[in-house]
Amino acid sequence: MAKVQLCNVVVLDNPSPFLNPFQFELTFECIEELKEDLEWKMIYVGSAESEEHDQVLDTIYVGPIPEGKHMFVFQADPPDVNKIPVNDALGVTVVLLTCSYRGQEFVRVGYFINNEYNDPELRENPPAQPQFDKVHRNILSSQPRVTRIKINWDDSETSSNQEPTPQVNEETMDNIASTSESTSNGLATIGFSENSSQSAMEVM
């Protein structure tokens, strides 16, 4: 069973101007003390065509962590607009939140983002070079995709000295809605609730 459960993610300051910082309020629970840091990353997908345009907006290390529930706000500057392909500046893209322990990623949350001009005239006749100071982003906070990966949490190496085979469980709105109990591999189901203009992801 995972020693860390992501309990809640709230998207803050959304929608907002494109050049505003990203802000996510994350709540997680440790079922026992962790001696080493958790590594959290925020990644902006600059283009669906190639990962080379992905930008790591920030990386933070949290730890050591005592047993119990913890909450923090993960804030990061917007992406470097000079690294975003012109053809991918507007429209739909993705922001990712990942968490790793000892270099092993065990959870990933992805949100779709819609970037567009607020000005109807600019939407109708967008300039050849994007004017990011006039672009607004809207994170689709009610529709995250959650991926959980089984990792080796133990202090000691496996007896075979081989890396454990990752077991991936992807959860979407569709299959979450049809599940009411924990899955057979110990992964908790996830529900979604609205809190005014913010959407929360909670482990049930």
Side-chain angles (χ1 to χ4, degrees):
M1 181 178 179
K3 293 186 178 181
V4 176
Q5 291 288 341
L6 184 60
C7 303
N8 193 41
V9 178
V10 179
V11 182
L12 305 177
D13 189 26
N14 182 58
S16 68
F18 182 89
L19 299 178
N20 276 16
F22 283 89
Q23 297 182 66
F24 296 89
E25 181 186 274
L26 296 101
T27 303
F28 64 95
E29 184 171 11
C30 292
I31 64 172
E32 64 180 71
E33 180 182 5
L34 295 180
K35 297 179 180 179
E36 299 184 31
D37 293 349
L38 292 175
E39 179 187 39
W40 297 86
K41 287 186 179 182
M42 190 184 304
I43 303 168
Y44 184 86
V45 177
S47 173
E49 302 299 324
S50 173
E51 291 184 1
E52 69 179 271
H53 298 294
D54 290 0
Q55 297 185 47
V56 178
L57 303 183
D58 201 0
T59 301
I60 60 173
Y61 297 88
V62 180
I65 303 172
E67 179 182 346
K69 188 171 288 189
H70 309 275
M71 185 272 287
F72 71 99
V73 174
F74 192 1
Q75 177 172 310
D77 289 335
D80 183 345
V81 298
N82 296 315
K83 296 180 180 179
I84 301 175
V86 172
N87 292 337
D88 295 304
L90 301 176
V92 178
T93 187
V94 172
V95 63
L96 301 170
L97 301 171
T98 71
C99 191
S100 303
Y101 185 66
R102 292 176 173 165
Q104 305 170 90
E105 182 181 315
F106 63 89
V107 67
R108 169 176 294 220
V109 183
Y111 289 95
F112 286 110
I113 303 173
N114 186 38
N115 296 316
E116 65 179 0
Y117 293 111
N118 267 358
D119 188 330
E121 184 175 341
L122 288 175
R123 284 204 300 265
E124 188 71 23
N125 300 291
Q129 287 298 321
Q131 298 180 15
F132 287 98
D133 59 332
K134 298 179 181 178
V135 174
H136 276 63
R137 70 165 180 258
N138 184 15
I139 300 173
L140 304 183
S141 55
S142 64
Q143 299 178 7
R145 176 181 292 271
V146 184
T147 303
R148 299 180 185 275
I149 307 167
K150 186 177 181 181
I151 65 169
N152 178 21
W153 295 88
D154 296 333
D155 294 333
S156 60
E157 296 182 1
T158 57
S159 58
S160 62
N161 292 322
Q162 295 180 348
E163 291 293 328
T165 302
Q167 296 183 17
V168 179
N169 180 27
E170 284 200 354
E171 299 168 348
T172 63
M173 289 294 289
D174 292 338
N175 59 27
I176 288 169
S178 62
T179 308
S180 59
E181 298 179 352
S182 296
T183 55
S184 59
N185 60 0
L187 298 176
T189 62
I190 293 179
F192 299 86
S193 61
E194 292 288 335
N195 178 15
S196 66
S197 62
Q198 302 168 351
S199 296
M201 180 191 71
E202 300 185 61
V203 173
M204 306 298 283

